[in-house]
Amino acid sequence: MKRILIFIKKETVLVVAILLAVISMIFIPPDQQYPEYIDFRTLGILFGLMTCVAGVQQLGVFDRLAGMLLREVSGRMAITSVLVMLCFFSSMLLTNDVALITFVPFSLILLQRKKELFDEKWILRIVVMQTIAANLGSMLTPIGNPQNLYLFGLAQMRIEKFILLMLPYSVMAFLVLIIWIILASGISRIYARNDQKQDQTTIKNIQDNKITSSKEDGRHQLSEEKHSEKSISFSWKLWCYCVLFLLGLLVVGRVLPWSVFAVFVLVFTFAADRKTLMKVDYSLLGTFAALFIFIGNLGRIEVFRQFLERMIRGREMVTSVLASQVMSNVPAAILLSGFTDAIPNLIVGTNIGGLGTLIASMASLISFKYIAREYPAQKGRYFCMFTLANVFFLLVMLIVYLVFLSPVFVKNKTICLSILICVGR
């Protein structure tokens, strides 16, 4: 019983999705149409890409690349910029959850060794911004997050059209993140000067930290050397995973069939790297499959289908943002896509909707779990900082949509641009 409760707590979204699928089966018993519900292409691509990324991650490639970057920088602003932007840009190819799983633990280890620059409050800020950066960076590409991959395939869009759709939001997100880093670093520098004048014991603490840090650096260097030797000896696996990942991109672009990619990945990992198969997020695949069944059954209940279509039609963007706040953006994308043809609006809404509450994007829970484990007394503070920062970024993204990309602006582009120019003057 205890194991069941632990599983439910750990995989809440999966359990809820299965329950919804089972309940829907009461109204629409299983029949020959059930296999048609499931988008096997999306599941196959997700499995293949997650396996490739997990394999590369197991080889320690991402940690080594991050370490190489950080060895070239020093100072609070530079280190913060690298850690945040690593999540922002890597999430475009690795997905937001993989970016956070890879770089948040790495960041915590690094920042804890640099106590003279980063106290606990600063560490919380950086992890919050890493989480936001991963969620915002991932929205630019079809493979950045699961709902993008699904909606991209459903809409049968070209990759360049998808990128152009999300580019304004990504550019604005990048600019706001840079502004935050500059302002936060500047304000901290002022407080640091005042604290240095008031607290003479800081000097001794810094010296102690340097001694501890130097010892840890030595241990870290030895582990890096061992890890480097391991990476070299298994470099052929890295090349294989890179080739498979490129095949995955060709599948996303509809150049190759998804089944060929999925079979190649499965055969290679089973033959050469079985441990990687244990690192794949099968609960996400299960969640997708259960929701496909639930939505397929809802679509066959005529009264409910007509009601949802009336509620969603013309409000796809707002509905998807609100739905993401309470059920997360991946289930929201799958649920709403069954009742509207305005898929581009869902793409924008579910990506923006990943901001806001802690469960708006399930990837955000990854960072929260790391903070809860490392700083259990700071969970409340982290939650408050996370919520405030996410609400701010959500408002910024909504403003971008309302001002520049809403139908009103598109239809009256000349008038709106003239007003903006006049205001600027």
Side-chain angles (χ1 to χ4, degrees):
M1 187 65 183
K2 186 177 180 181
R3 290 183 179 180
I4 295 175
L5 292 175
I6 292 173
F7 178 81
I8 293 174
K9 185 177 180 181
K10 182 180 178 181
E11 303 292 351
T12 305
V13 176
L14 173 61
V15 172
V16 171
I18 292 174
L19 286 175
L20 290 174
V22 171
I23 292 171
S24 70
M25 290 178 182
I26 298 174
F27 301 94
I28 308 292
D31 56 21
Q32 66 275 13
Q33 293 188 38
Y34 267 54
E36 299 176 5
Y37 295 163
I38 300 175
D39 187 345
F40 290 103
R41 180 179 185 274
T42 297
L43 294 180
I45 296 173
L46 263 179
F47 167 77
L49 292 177
M50 286 193 297
T51 304
C52 291
V53 172
V56 176
Q57 186 179 17
Q58 286 290 102
L59 296 176
V61 174
F62 303 138
D63 289 339
R64 292 188 65 208
L65 289 175
M68 289 169 60
L69 283 172
L70 288 167
R71 279 196 291 270
E72 302 298 323
V73 299
S74 60
R76 182 182 287 115
M77 184 183 296
I79 293 173
T80 302
S81 299
V82 170
L83 293 178
V84 172
M85 290 307 158
L86 270 173
C87 291
F88 184 79
F89 288 107
S90 65
S91 65
M92 296 177 185
L93 291 177
L94 307 180
T95 72
N96 50 356
D97 53 349
V98 172
L100 293 174
I101 289 171
T102 302
F103 295 120
V104 169
F106 173 84
S107 301
L108 291 175
I109 293 171
L110 175 76
L111 297 174
Q112 288 167 358
R113 290 166 51 206
K114 294 184 178 292
K115 295 179 181 178
E116 66 273 17
L117 291 176
F118 300 99
D119 57 15
E120 286 189 1
K121 190 174 181 181
W122 244 107
I123 293 174
L124 297 183
R125 288 177 186 166
I126 290 175
V127 174
V128 166
M129 283 302 138
Q130 283 183 307
T131 307
I132 292 175
N135 286 328
L136 291 176
S138 68
M139 66 184 176
L140 182 63
T141 64
I143 62 173
N145 52 57
Q147 77 269 11
N148 276 4
L149 184 61
Y150 168 68
L151 294 173
F152 172 75
L154 189 65
Q156 296 186 345
M157 300 173 68
R158 295 180 63 85
I159 291 179
E160 59 269 24
K161 186 177 180 181
F162 184 99
I163 292 176
L164 286 174
L165 174 67
M166 299 308 303
L167 186 61
Y169 303 99
S170 296
V171 171
M172 180 59 70
F174 175 78
L175 293 175
V176 177
L177 285 170
I178 290 295
I179 292 171
W180 175 85
I181 291 170
I182 294 172
L183 291 178
S185 299
I187 292 172
S188 278
R189 195 177 294 115
I190 294 172
Y191 281 114
R193 289 173 183 171
N194 294 335
D195 291 341
Q196 194 173 19
K197 293 178 182 179
Q198 295 173 4
D199 192 359
Q200 296 297 326
T201 61
T202 303
I203 298 174
K204 185 179 183 301
N205 290 336
I206 292 175
Q207 291 173 344
D208 292 341
N209 288 333
K210 284 182 177 179
I211 294 171
T212 304
S213 179
S214 64
K215 293 178 181 178
E216 292 177 354
D217 285 341
R219 290 195 295 267
H220 185 68
Q221 187 174 359
L222 288 173
S223 66
E224 277 191 340
E225 289 174 359
K226 292 179 181 178
H227 191 70
S228 177
E229 293 174 1
K230 183 180 178 181
S231 297
I232 292 170
S233 62
F234 287 99
S235 60
W236 63 274
K237 287 186 181 180
L238 175 60
W239 284 109
C240 290
Y241 279 123
C242 289
V243 171
L244 289 172
F245 188 82
L246 291 176
L247 289 179
L249 296 182
L250 292 177
V251 173
V252 172
R254 297 183 180 84
V255 177
L256 293 175
W258 69 267
S259 54
V260 173
F261 170 59
V263 170
F264 278 5
V265 171
L266 181 60
V267 170
F268 171 74
T269 49
F270 186 80
D273 198 7
R274 294 184 186 180
K275 289 183 179 179
T276 295
L277 289 173
M278 304 300 294
K279 300 295 181 180
V280 177
D281 188 359
Y282 295 105
S283 65
L284 178 62
L285 299 177
T287 300
F288 264 71
L291 287 173
F292 284 144
I293 294 172
F294 173 65
I295 294 161
N297 285 334
L298 286 185
R300 293 170 65 181
I301 303 174
E302 190 64 24
V303 175
F304 194 81
R305 183 179 63 80
Q306 291 178 356
F307 171 75
L308 273 181
E309 286 177 347
R310 287 196 302 270
M311 291 294 295
I312 296 170
R313 189 180 297 117
R315 309 179 186 91
E316 290 85 2
M317 196 275 186
V318 175
T319 304
S320 55
V321 170
L322 294 176
S324 297
Q325 303 306 305
V326 295
M327 67 170 66
S328 184
N329 51 6
V330 173
I334 300 174
L335 174 63
L336 299 178
S337 65
F339 305 96
T340 180
D341 295 325
I343 303 302
N345 288 341
L346 286 185
I347 292 172
V348 174
T350 52
N351 275 292
I352 292 177
L355 300 166
T357 63
L358 187 62
I359 63 169
S361 171
M362 297 306 292
S364 301
L365 291 174
I366 295 171
S367 303
F368 181 75
K369 288 178 181 177
Y370 282 121
I371 291 296
R373 187 177 64 190
E374 294 291 329
Y375 303 101
Q378 299 290 345
K379 287 190 295 185
R381 172 179 279 186
Y382 176 86
F383 179 78
C384 292
M385 293 171 67
F386 175 90
T387 303
L388 289 173
N390 269 263
V391 169
F392 171 76
F393 273 86
L394 176 59
L395 291 175
V396 171
M397 293 297 106
L398 289 174
I399 290 171
V400 173
Y401 172 79
L402 293 173
V403 175
F404 297 105
L405 300 164
S406 66
V408 175
F409 178 82
V410 173
K411 292 179 181 178
N412 304 279
K413 188 177 292 185
T414 305
I415 297 174
C416 293
L417 285 173
S418 300
I419 293 173
L420 289 173
I421 292 172
C422 292
V423 172
R425 290 177 179 175

